[in-house]
Amino acid sequence: MRVRNVTVSFLAAATILMAETAQERLKEASVVFTEIMGTPEMGIPEELLGKANCIVIIPGMKSGAIGLGGKYGRGYAMCRKKSGVGWGSPAAMRVEGGSIGFQIGGQSTDVIMLVMNDRGMQALLKSKFTLGGDASVAAGPVGREATAKTDASMGAEILSWSRARGVFAGVSLQGATLRNDDEGNHELYGKDVESKDILTSGMAAPPEARPLIAALNRHSKVEGRDSADRAKPDK
């Protein structure tokens, strides 16, 4: 009976996620990032964000306990513009996989991943890839005092964090699968478009993405440029 109840809870959570609109998920992703970065002592180091090629934000990922368990979430990936300054348009993504490292029982968890180099970005541009398989992943450091010169940031293609019940910490997502969300992209852009094209073509971002892009620009530490300069749109 207990397993049945957990199964029903997990399926219900997945149904709720499916029912959200792409625009609502994008707004939620912006809120999650802004809240996390609003406490510098417990957020993602801006130095790391400044070095990252791309970011993936999955708000409200659900985890359940069925055998080995499972997790499911929908969110967005965004990469830097070709100029290296400023962030481009969001591409809808899905995360699926085992619940290793996550608390069971239908818990909702916000997840953020930073793609730190070109190899990690090439994995992200695939229609589907496995964290820890196609790209190495490690728990990211937390707080403004955390240095980017850690073993994790020097060696891993992707760094990851999670926030559950108000606690934000680095977490490994070994074995999770990240894939394109074609349905989400169509809903957001009003046409069929692949995540790879969104992340690399420089296409215009939808109006709903502006708050998140502004927040990313504000918190991305770039050597030689202050926050005011980073917030200015590219000419």
Side-chain angles (χ1 to χ4, degrees):
M1 179 63 71
R2 182 178 180 182
V3 172
R4 181 179 181 277
N5 290 339
V6 173
T7 301
V8 171
S9 297
F10 180 63
L11 292 177
T15 301
I16 291 172
L17 282 170
M18 291 288 286
E20 291 179 343
T21 68
Q23 290 78 9
E24 288 171 342
R25 285 192 297 275
L26 187 55
K27 181 179 180 180
E28 191 175 354
S30 178
V31 170
V32 166
F33 178 79
T34 301
E35 287 179 351
I36 288 173
M37 298 306 292
T39 307
E41 292 76 13
M42 292 301 297
I44 297 171
E46 290 191 356
E47 184 180 357
L48 279 179
L49 186 61
K51 293 174 180 290
N53 287 29
C54 307
I55 187 170
V56 179
I57 304 174
I58 309 293
M61 187 163 74
K62 305 296 181 181
S63 59
I66 310 169
L68 289 178
K71 54 181 174 282
Y72 175 86
R74 301 177 76 180
Y76 292 94
M78 301 173 72
C79 294
R80 291 190 178 279
K81 294 181 178 180
K82 292 182 179 180
S83 65
V85 178
W87 293 81
S89 300
M93 308 294 292
R94 296 175 184 255
V95 172
E96 302 165 352
S99 64
I100 297 173
F102 287 89
Q103 192 169 346
I104 65 174
Q107 178 178 337
S108 177
T109 306
D110 302 317
V111 172
I112 293 183
M113 292 172 259
L114 291 185
V115 180
M116 300 306 301
N117 52 37
D118 289 339
R119 183 176 174 181
M121 184 173 177
Q122 290 307 310
L124 180 66
L125 295 179
K126 295 180 180 179
S127 60
K128 173 184 176 181
F129 77 97
T130 301
L131 295 165
D134 299 304
S136 60
V137 60
V142 173
R144 64 168 56 171
E145 299 302 326
T147 177
K149 299 177 181 179
T150 62
D151 291 340
S153 63
M154 293 296 287
E157 274 89 50
I158 297 175
L159 299 177
S160 54
W161 294 261
S162 72
R163 183 180 68 167
R165 297 180 181 178
V167 178
F168 183 70
V171 63
S172 176
L173 295 174
Q174 292 281 348
T177 298
L178 194 64
R179 67 177 70 206
N180 294 349
D181 183 354
D182 295 331
E183 179 184 347
N185 285 330
H186 187 281
E187 187 176 0
L188 187 61
Y189 292 94
K191 60 182 179 180
D192 290 334
V193 56
E194 295 184 358
S195 293
K196 178 179 179 180
D197 294 332
I198 296 172
L199 296 174
T200 60
S201 66
M203 65 185 297
E208 295 86 355
R210 291 172 185 166
L212 180 53
I213 291 174
L216 284 166
N217 288 339
R218 185 165 60 251
H219 291 288
S220 297
K221 180 179 179 181
V222 178
E223 186 176 355
R225 296 173 66 87
D226 61 24
S227 58
D229 287 333
R230 295 197 303 274
K232 292 177 182 178
D234 291 348
K235 297 181 179 180

